[in-house]
Amino acid sequence: MATHDGYRAVTADLRTPRTAAGRALLDRLTGHLPAIRDGARPADREGAFRTEVFAALRAGGVLGATVPRELGGLGVTSLHDVALALTTVAEADASTALALHMQLSRGLTFTHEWRHGDDGPRALAERLLRGMGSGEAVVCTTVKDAPGGRVATRLRPAPDGGWVLTGRKTLASMAPFATDFVVSAQVEVAGVARSAAAVLSRGTPGLTVLDNWDGLGMRASGTVDVVLEDCPIRAGDVFLRGPVGEQSDASLAGQTVSSITMLGIYAGVAQAARDVVVAELAKRGGLSAAAAATRTLLAEIEARLYALRTTVAGTLSVADWLAYGFDGDPAERGRRMMADFQCAKLMVNRLAPDIVSDCLVVIGGASYAGAHPLSRLYRDVRAGAFMHPFTYPDAVDWLSEAVLGGPKA
């Protein structure tokens, strides 16, 4: 698919939505962008989650964008269009985009559960989706156990037939605004340790959302810890998965759908840095006043940004086809989606920081001040390397084993 930007044709680029629902989402976001952009610097300096921004996004129907239309949402399913929306928000503020990703990605994964799951998980997914579509539910997913914990987060049976949840999760973005939490845990069923995801509301006894985020970057994303002390969980509010440690290639598709749109965030950060440079050079006299080294760096920035955006957009196009158009072996789908995702992620994690770094070189010492927008972008762009799946060492292991035909560790 080709689009146009001025005088040149662009293939597979993050500029134009692919679906009517994606266009509707961008239209709804447009009015929020000035407020997101204007408040980015003070929120970053204070490390404060932007509750007022998310309240406005909620009221405007943005937080229900990936909920099916029949359940009250916009019905956005295209991974390309979700990533484009995140790119657009990240150009204004990456922290807001990262937190927004939490809600949008849950809509995508719950929709799959609703359309293809068994009766119990399907009913649970529908309840959450209807809440998201109406604006009542804002869902934070917590996966990673807090470091230093003695045991993994666990579910155990309760006398009333339900469950009790205990543990501590970390890096839970958007948690300060969430009304509901989906918490990864382990549970023993019929003598077998299984993975699970427990669903609980913010008012559940024993649930505490801490105010402990003090990150290097993404400082306004509300990426805090969540403490769970004997939280009661209803019997039907648990998604049961496979045995702990079991590797399923088919499940790689779900992991990809849940996370691949985050690539758009770092494309947005790189684009924002480039735009800052262009604007400042224009103030300094434009091309005629630029030294040869500055022109060289500017050309390198433009070429890398083109490579970054086309890599992400091309990968998302294939992922959309594999997710919604491929009717072959589910295990093959999962392997292909994850392999493409990881190749693209490695390139994004290399290209985006390089672009922002070169932008600092062009601007010079002024960009090293905390008040300069490039300072925030330089810190925010580093977060991409830590996002799962996978971090760099795990990605190297997975991709090299995939190439050589070895087992997935």
Side-chain angles (χ1 to χ4, degrees):
M1 177 179 179
T3 60
H4 292 82
D5 174 31
Y7 64 86
R8 62 178 181 172
V10 181
T11 301
D13 200 2
L14 279 174
R15 296 182 188 274
T16 305
R18 302 286 174 82
T19 66
R23 167 55 64 191
L25 172 56
L26 279 183
D27 289 345
R28 294 200 181 196
L29 278 171
T30 299
H32 298 279
L33 295 177
I36 293 172
R37 184 178 295 107
D38 291 346
R41 180 191 168 198
D44 173 76
R45 291 183 70 87
E46 297 167 12
F49 183 79
R50 305 182 66 187
T51 301
E52 74 288 350
V53 165
F54 276 82
L57 292 174
R58 183 184 196 175
V62 171
L63 300 189
T66 52
V67 173
R69 292 183 64 85
E70 54 265 54
L71 299 183
L74 291 180
V76 180
T77 58
S78 167
L79 299 172
H80 175 279
D81 288 356
V82 173
L84 175 57
L86 293 174
T87 297
T88 303
V89 175
E91 290 178 21
D93 178 35
S95 287
T96 300
L98 180 61
L100 178 59
H101 166 264
M102 273 288 190
Q103 180 83 346
L104 298 184
S105 65
R106 290 294 69 76
L108 293 171
T109 55
F110 288 157
T111 296
H112 183 273
E113 197 84 55
W114 178 63
R115 295 194 187 281
H116 305 290
D118 295 332
D119 288 347
R122 187 177 188 276
L124 179 53
E126 179 173 339
R127 191 188 86 209
L128 290 165
L129 287 167
R130 287 191 182 277
M132 294 168 70
S134 69
E136 295 176 4
V138 180
V139 182
C140 171
T141 299
T142 66
V143 175
K144 187 175 178 61
D145 286 322
R150 290 174 292 178
V151 296
T153 301
R154 295 190 183 278
L155 281 166
R156 64 180 190 274
D160 63 0
W163 306 92
V164 176
L165 179 66
T166 301
R168 177 167 174 159
K169 313 302 282 191
T170 193
L171 300 178
S173 298
M174 200 184 63
F177 194 69
T179 63
D180 296 88
F181 295 82
V182 179
V183 180
S184 296
Q186 294 184 15
V187 59
E188 186 171 306
V189 178
V192 178
R194 298 177 62 177
S195 299
V199 178
L200 63 165
S201 68
R202 191 181 192 90
T204 300
L207 185 151
T208 304
V209 178
L210 301 183
D211 182 15
N212 66 331
W213 177 237
D214 188 20
L216 175 67
M218 299 293 188
R219 289 179 50 77
S221 61
T223 305
V224 300
D225 284 10
V226 178
V227 179
L228 307 141
E229 299 177 307
D230 294 335
C231 298
I233 309 294
R234 292 179 296 188
D237 287 356
V238 173
F239 293 104
L240 284 177
R241 309 302 188 194
V244 173
E246 179 182 76
Q247 301 298 316
S248 167
D249 283 352
S251 70
L252 297 174
Q255 293 180 45
T256 300
V257 168
S258 178
S259 300
I260 193 172
T261 58
M262 277 196 292
L263 297 179
I265 297 173
Y266 302 99
V269 173
Q271 181 70 51
R274 176 266 190 196
D275 292 347
V276 167
V277 165
V278 171
E280 292 212 15
L281 289 179
K283 293 178 182 178
R284 297 179 183 182
L287 188 62
S288 61
T294 297
R295 295 186 181 199
T296 300
L297 280 173
L298 193 59
E300 291 283 353
I301 289 167
E302 197 71 4
R304 288 192 180 118
L305 184 59
Y306 178 84
L308 170 60
R309 293 179 72 112
T310 53
T311 294
V312 172
T315 303
L316 288 164
S317 295
V318 175
D320 270 326
W321 177 76
L322 287 168
Y324 304 116
F326 180 80
D327 60 0
D329 178 22
E332 180 187 355
R333 173 197 285 118
R335 289 191 295 269
R336 290 175 62 179
M337 289 182 75
M338 184 59 76
D340 284 359
F341 175 25
Q342 292 309 307
C343 287
K345 187 173 185 295
L346 283 176
M347 294 310 300
V348 168
N349 290 343
R350 180 177 299 173
L351 288 169
D354 284 351
I355 291 167
V356 180
S357 181
D358 280 350
C359 288
L360 266 73
V361 174
V362 170
I363 298 304
S367 64
Y368 203 64
H372 198 281
L374 285 178
S375 171
R376 171 170 49 87
L377 295 172
Y378 184 73
R379 290 181 284 105
D380 286 346
V381 80
R382 307 303 305 187
F386 306 106
M387 297 296 173
H388 288 272
F390 297 115
T391 60
Y392 181 78
D394 291 335
V396 168
D397 286 347
W398 196 93
L399 280 172
S400 61
E401 288 168 358
V403 170
L404 296 175
K408 307 298 184 291

